[in-house]
Structures are given as C-alpha cells and as structure tokens.
Amino acid sequence: MAYPGYGGYGGQMPGMPMQGAPMGAPLARGYPPQYGAYPGTFAAPPAQDPMWSYFTAIAGQDGEVDAEELQRCLTQTGISGTYMPFSLETCRIMIAMLDRDYSGKMGFAEFKELFTALNGWKQNFMMVDRDNSGTVEPHELSQSISNLGYRLSPQALGCIISRFSRGGKIYFDDYVACCVKLRAVTETFRRRDAMQQGAVNFQYDDFIMCTMSI
Amino acid sequence: MAYPGYGGYGGQMPGMPMQGAPMGAPLARGYPPQYGAYPGTFAAPPAQDPMWSYFTAIAGQDGEVDAEELQRCLTQTGISGTYMPFSLETCRIMIAMLDRDYSGKMGFAEFKELFTALNGWKQNFMMVDRDNSGTVEPHELSQSISNLGYRLSPQALGCIISRFSRGGKIYFDDYVACCVKLRAVTETFRRRDAMQQGAVNFQYDDFIMCTMSI
C-alpha cells in the first residue's frame, strides 16, 4: 500500500495539547498543518519491534491485514486498555485512513503509524474521561477536536457530535472512529487542495471514491 | 427534521430494474436522475398505517427515533427477513441519509421512505443472492450498483467493494449500508451541483459536514 511522506494526525504530536498554532492565530483554511513522519517511529528493525510479532501472527505471508485481522490484532495488543475493544466498523475506518491504493489492507509501517496515532487519541480521551467511565460529553468532544487543531463551525461540530454519540455520550470506540475519520477526510481534502485555500473542486466519481471508502 | 421534496433512491423504483435510462444512453454526470416522492407513500393516515404502531412504540412523544431505536424498530418489523438484523452502524447511516437538519433522528415520514427504499434494496439483494446464502459476490455488487443507475469508474467500484466486503463476500447488512451511503452521498453532491454538471466546489467545513455525518 502506497503511503508517501505522511505521519501527522490532526496536526499535533500524540497526546500533547496543540503547539504552534495559538488560538489567536486561526487557520484560514480550517484544518491543521501537516506534519512529517514521527521521528524514530520506524527506527527499530521489525524483528526487534515488540509489535512485529503481533502483526506477523495476524498478517501472514502477504504482510498485510484486513479489518477483521486488525480488530484481532488491536485486541491482542491491549491498546484499548480498560475500554471496550474496537468495533469492526472502527477498524474498517482505520484501514481506510491509511489505504491509499484502496486495497482494503494495511502493511506493518501503516500499522505502526496507526498505533502511534491511536495512543495519542487514547491519551486525549483519558485526559477528558477523568472518572474512567468510558464516555465523554459532547462539548468535550468539540474541545478535543479543537485541541487537535481543527477549526470547524458549530454546525459541523454539531453534526459530528450527532453522528458519533449514543444516548448523549461519546464512547471510546466512537471517539477514535471520529478522530480517524476526521483525519482521513481532512487528508483526502488536503491532497486535492493544492493551493491550500480551503476549497476543492470534486468530480462526482472522485467524490464517491473519497466518501465511500472511509 | 426537514426533508423537502425528496423520494428517489438511486434513480429507480424499489426492486425494479432501472427504467428510462437505457445502457446505450450513458449519464454524463454519472449519477441517476432524481425522482419525486413515491406516489401514495403517505396516503394513509398514520393511525391506519400498520407501521405506525411499530414507530410510535419506539419513538415516544417526540415522534423521532435515533439509531438505536431504529435498530430495534427495524428488527421488530422483520424487514431483514431471514438475513441478520441490521447493525447499529448501518442504522446510523440510514438516519444520516435522511437527516437534513443533522439532528441524528428521523420522523415517521422519513421512516416510511426508508422502509420503501429498504424493501427495494432487499429485493435487489435477493435477486442476486439466489441460494439465500446471505452474501453476494463483488462483481454482483458492481452490477447491482449499475442497475440502480449509477455510472461509476472501475476504480470507484473497486474501492466500494473493498470497503463493504468481508472475506471476499458482501453480506446483506453491508450491502444495504453501501446502498444507503451511496444514495446519501450522491444526494449530498447533487444538491450542490446546481448545473447538474457532475462537478462541485466544496469548502472544507462543508466537506467535513458532508463526509462526517454519513
């Protein structure tokens, strides 16, 4: 799966409050700047990487995993901690986020990158979910999205909240699905926004590919 | 929930092969024409409508249902037949398809419209799934999408197949999720394509609303 020169997620390092774009300096185009790959992420040879064994046990000879394999893999690594394991739907969105060739699968490099992003989102979620209830409030999701560097209208935030909440709360699995999807659609948009002006002309077929794959 | 003057789904009547757009007359913009509301759909007063009791039992006083209520409601009506009941994720997409005010809920009129569309998709699925196995092949999904009036590139069809298949097969739940989503994103696009030219200029915030809500 091709995945050139990419590594940011929502414009900040995992788990850290957003740096470099103070609230007084709004981003005209609404989405956070793109960062390079996280330094050192792929420094260790796979064989010495503790995550390699999890990955290879699932991926098999082709070295790639699909959504169901990813779900098993993430469950085994215990990344969800005390929260519920990720749903298949969320795993599908995770694959779609990194799947530039629309193969529906991901390799080890993408898996590592996903893991880094997941750890960041988990830390963000835990910072908000102080009583460890497994859910956060709608306004806390809005704040978290803002902390990740996105500048969205109240209407856009409202529709995100309505889509990812259940019974007025946002569960960890849905929080991560929201973060993954928001990053993926932003990257989709950014790649087409050559002038970085916050506007893109979509052909119908391309729009269908972008929206149906995530 | 506002839902003005809408009733088509993928450009054909439920369960019927596409009429009015023969294969020899390709649609330049790639998506099927919009139809008016199905005649007679809302003719009966709700109290005499056999579906009204299902709906009101779930919706309660506010007269609207959210995704979890919709899932229970659809399960009770038995619309899935011998197939597995719809997943919560698919129910969320169903709500998003008809939810113009981004409330995350739907009223009785939208529920009826959804039911009509669901019956159509179910008939389409059953026509392809002749051995009643509950799954169809990827090329059959492509053919079905084409029968619904969509003219998509092989690349777009490939990414849809990769997103909605499991182990190389498409299950009924995912088939419906695919049809619902395809109709919803097409309507989203069509509403902005004032000249019906198959191209739309999206602002980032609007793109986020369109993609995150479905």
Side-chain angles (χ1 to χ4, degrees):
Chain A
M1 183 168 63
Y3 195 57
Y6 181 87
Y9 81 102
Q12 67 160 10
M13 293 304 284
M16 296 291 115
M18 179 161 175
Q19 305 290 329
M23 297 303 280
L27 300 162
R29 61 186 182 276
Y31 52 77
Q34 187 177 17
Y35 284 69
Y38 299 133
T41 302
F42 308 130
Q48 297 171 26
D49 194 309
M51 225 178 297
W52 179 246
S53 60
Y54 289 121
F55 183 82
T56 50
I58 301 289
Q61 282 200 325
D62 72 349
E64 294 203 322
V65 297
D66 63 21
E68 284 163 307
E69 292 168 338
L70 177 63
Q71 187 185 36
R72 285 201 297 278
C73 195
L74 289 176
T75 303
Q76 283 183 23
T77 60
I79 191 171
S80 296
T82 58
Y83 300 125
M84 290 285 288
F86 292 114
S87 66
L88 183 62
E89 177 59 25
T90 298
C91 291
R92 283 175 162 185
I93 300 174
M94 290 176 190
I95 297 235
M97 175 179 76
L98 298 170
D99 186 11
R100 297 291 168 84
D101 63 359
Y102 301 115
S103 69
K105 297 183 176 185
M106 65 164 54
F108 185 60
E110 290 80 20
F111 178 75
K112 288 276 291 179
E113 187 183 329
L114 172 66
F115 217 84
T116 305
L118 285 180
N119 274 317
W121 289 321
K122 184 181 169 189
Q123 286 180 49
N124 281 343
F125 187 88
M126 290 171 73
M127 278 198 294
V128 182
D129 178 28
R130 294 182 188 185
D131 61 354
N132 199 30
S133 65
T135 63
V136 299
E137 302 292 322
H139 74 273
E140 292 168 331
L141 175 61
S142 292
Q143 185 57 51
S144 185
I145 288 171
S146 180
N147 289 345
L148 288 169
Y150 299 97
R151 297 291 172 267
L152 301 177
S153 67
Q155 197 184 4
L157 287 169
C159 99
I160 290 173
I161 288 166
S162 129
R163 177 68 173 77
F164 289 92
S165 61
R166 304 184 198 197
K169 305 270 190 184
I170 294 98
Y171 289 77
F172 178 61
D173 181 63
D174 291 317
Y175 174 85
V176 169
C178 173
C179 291
V180 171
K181 192 166 179 176
L182 190 52
R183 168 170 153 164
V185 295
T186 297
E187 282 310 304
T188 290
F189 191 90
R190 195 201 319 257
R191 281 198 300 277
R192 288 160 179 79
D193 185 14
M195 304 294 287
Q196 303 286 295
Q197 291 181 322
V200 170
N201 196 51
F202 277 90
Q203 298 293 311
Y204 173 67
D205 197 77
D206 186 33
F207 184 74
I208 289 296
M209 258 199 294
C210 294
T211 52
M212 293 297 286
S213 61
I214 294 173
Chain B
M1 182 168 65
Y3 197 56
Y6 181 86
Y9 80 101
Q12 66 161 12
M13 295 302 286
M16 297 291 114
M18 181 161 172
Q19 305 292 327
M23 298 303 280
L27 300 161
R29 60 185 183 278
Y31 52 78
Q34 187 177 17
Y35 283 70
Y38 298 134
T41 302
F42 310 129
Q48 296 171 27
D49 193 310
M51 226 179 294
W52 179 246
S53 59
Y54 288 121
F55 183 81
T56 51
I58 301 289
Q61 281 200 325
D62 72 349
E64 294 204 322
V65 298
D66 62 21
E68 284 163 307
E69 291 168 338
L70 177 63
Q71 188 184 35
R72 284 201 298 277
C73 195
L74 290 175
T75 303
Q76 282 183 21
T77 60
I79 191 171
S80 297
T82 57
Y83 299 126
M84 290 285 287
F86 292 114
S87 66
L88 183 61
E89 178 59 24
T90 297
C91 291
R92 283 175 161 185
I93 299 173
M94 290 176 190
I95 297 234
M97 174 178 76
L98 299 170
D99 186 11
R100 297 291 166 83
D101 62 359
Y102 300 117
S103 69
K105 298 183 175 184
M106 66 165 54
F108 184 60
E110 290 79 20
F111 178 75
K112 287 276 291 181
E113 187 183 329
L114 172 65
F115 217 84
T116 305
L118 284 180
N119 273 317
W121 289 320
K122 184 181 169 190
Q123 286 180 47
N124 281 343
F125 188 88
M126 289 170 73
M127 277 197 295
V128 182
D129 177 28
R130 294 183 189 185
D131 62 354
N132 199 29
S133 65
T135 63
V136 299
E137 300 294 323
H139 73 273
E140 292 168 330
L141 175 61
S142 292
Q143 185 57 52
S144 185
I145 288 171
S146 180
N147 289 345
L148 288 169
Y150 299 97
R151 298 289 172 268
L152 302 176
S153 67
Q155 196 183 3
L157 286 170
C159 100
I160 290 173
I161 287 165
S162 131
R163 177 66 173 77
F164 290 92
S165 61
R166 306 183 197 199
K169 304 271 190 182
I170 295 98
Y171 288 77
F172 177 60
D173 182 63
D174 291 318
Y175 174 85
V176 170
C178 174
C179 291
V180 172
K181 193 166 177 173
L182 190 52
R183 167 170 153 164
V185 296
T186 297
E187 283 308 306
T188 291
F189 192 91
R190 195 201 319 257
R191 281 197 301 277
R192 289 159 178 78
D193 185 14
M195 304 295 288
Q196 303 287 295
Q197 291 181 322
V200 170
N201 197 51
F202 277 90
Q203 298 293 310
Y204 173 66
D205 197 76
D206 186 34
F207 184 73
I208 289 296
M209 259 199 294
C210 294
T211 52
M212 293 296 287
S213 62
I214 295 172

